[in-house]
Amino acid sequence: MGDMTSTWSPGSWRDVETAQQPEWPDDAHLGSTLETLRALPPLVFAGEARRLKEAMTKVSRGEAFVLQAGDCAESFGDFSADGIRDKLKIILQMAVVLTYASGLPVVKIGRIAGQFAKPRSSASETLDDKVLPSFRGHAVNDAAFDEASRRADPDRLVRAYQQSASTLNLIRAFTKGGFADLNQVHMWNQEFVAESRQGRRYEAMAREIDRALRFMGACGVDLSADSSLHEVDLYTSHEALILGYEEALTRQDSLTGDWYDCSAHMLWIGDRTRQLQGGHVEFLSGVENPIACKIGPSATTADLLALCERLNPRNEPGRLAFITRMGSGSIEEALPPLVRAVRDSEIEVTWICDPMHGNTFSSSGGYKTRRFDDILGEIKGFFAVHQREGTVPGGVHLELTHHAVTECLGGSEEILDTHLSERYQALCDPRLNARQSVDLAFQVGEMLQG
Ligand code: PEP
Ligand code: CO
């Protein structure tokens, strides 16, 4: 691992400056909580993270496509078996749309089972002359605007772990226990989607899939024998933000002796915490999981090359993804120099498009929102740039929900400014609702065909 091998340890991030850490009021309480976490079982296994790394290697060669999606921030309040099932439905539905259109396998990665911590632009929030610490995600504090809710509470880290464990347990049951069987393709179309135009388009596609399966069966192919038709892998991911938590779940693999952050299969560094000498880069440089780094408009080519050197010194394919989030108006100027610099240095990275975080603005009614057309526009720009530069558009990174929310504007449902107040439930950033998500999947599928 370059010249870092000798000095890296799961706790070496503590020796450098680390942005975006909460102000925990009681160090002893934090310390005992981290001890508790250290004693709890890993959420994922090293072997699974290695499998994802292999899948990411295929993605980087254009032999597969990534769908990374889920909430901006998971919630302690919105947690139920039906909710997890419906989150899974929307991801399975989008993945099958993308696969059917492109003929490529889709690597499914949830922003799920651990996405509980948020970086903030400002450490405090002011409302009616009252100043309180910002909301940092349910792993840290609560969103309600009062002193007790906003106090950072380490017990929440254990609760985040527990909710992640329960979520992952159900995901494993659903993805391996028949629910994700391709014969169930109709069942993934939840009611709110089914009654819409894109839901009917999905039904038509699902019938084609049925026909294809029947055809292969009639030709004598034993469909029951092939597990890839009956099970899927849904990998987990979140922003590795609260490093005390990530460190406590970092374990040495008994097979290889390597360190893995066993809080999720993939971890990413946010756009606000990608300082080369900062704690987040230091921490993720030493774990062997597949990792990603968000890249916003302020990133330079020198930043990217240095990040590759720190985060992927062995130039290992599948190890590092750059998730670009430039904004639909900037991507066609901002992305090409970065892509060229990495390409010309023969550096192995996977490029993923986050069309959400560069396209956020406040509506006239004061709601944080995004336009469906900007989201689609950034993805189009992303494909166009990679097409021109001869590089691989590896996937999309989306904030979405299975709920029938009104948080993002537009789409074929024409959600307008005046609709935002109807069902705005986001804990942090505005998410695509299930119809908008399926709509987007069809349109990205067409881009992949083209
Ligand atoms: C996020 O993914 O929710 C996020 C905060 O993104 P970024 O770091 O790209 O701003
Ligand atoms: Co977000």
Side-chain angles (χ1 to χ4, degrees), residues 198-234:
Q198 47 281 21
R200 288 189 293 276
R201 186 174 176 191
Y202 176 82
E203 267 306 311
M205 184 205 71
R207 283 194 297 272
E208 293 293 310
I209 291 173
D210 287 341
R211 269 163 52 103
L213 290 174
R214 279 200 304 276
F215 173 74
M216 287 194 292
C219 292
V221 179
D222 181 4
L223 299 175
S224 64
D226 193 337
S227 70
S228 62
L229 291 174
H230 310 295
E231 297 179 359
V232 301
D233 290 319
L234 176 69

Side-chain angles (χ1 to χ4, degrees), residues 43-44 69-71 73-76 79 84 87 91 109-117 159-172 234-239 245-246 249 262-267:
L43 291 170
V44 305
D71 286 297
E74 285 178 273
S75 165
F76 287 174
F79 175 48
I84 295 164
K87 279 182 205 203
I91 291 176
I109 310 175
R111 286 177 66 115
I112 199 168
Q115 177 53 23
F116 290 103
R159 200 163 156 203
Y161 167 90
Q162 286 163 343
Q163 186 164 322
S164 300
S166 313
T167 302
L168 195 48
N169 181 52
L170 205 55
I171 289 173
R172 291 188 195 280
L234 176 69
Y235 295 102
T236 61
S237 71
H238 61 259
E239 178 171 351
Y245 177 86
E246 302 302 336
L249 285 164
C262 296
S263 72
H265 300 108
M266 175 192 269
L267 288 312

Side-chain angles (χ1 to χ4, degrees), residues 4 27 34 110 131 147 165 185 240 248 270 305 316 361 374 394 402 405 432:
M4 295 309 295
D27 280 346
L34 295 180
V131 185
E147 215 156 301
V185 65
L305 298 180
E316 185 189 358
F361 67 98
D374 291 341
H402 57 285
V405 299
L432 296 167

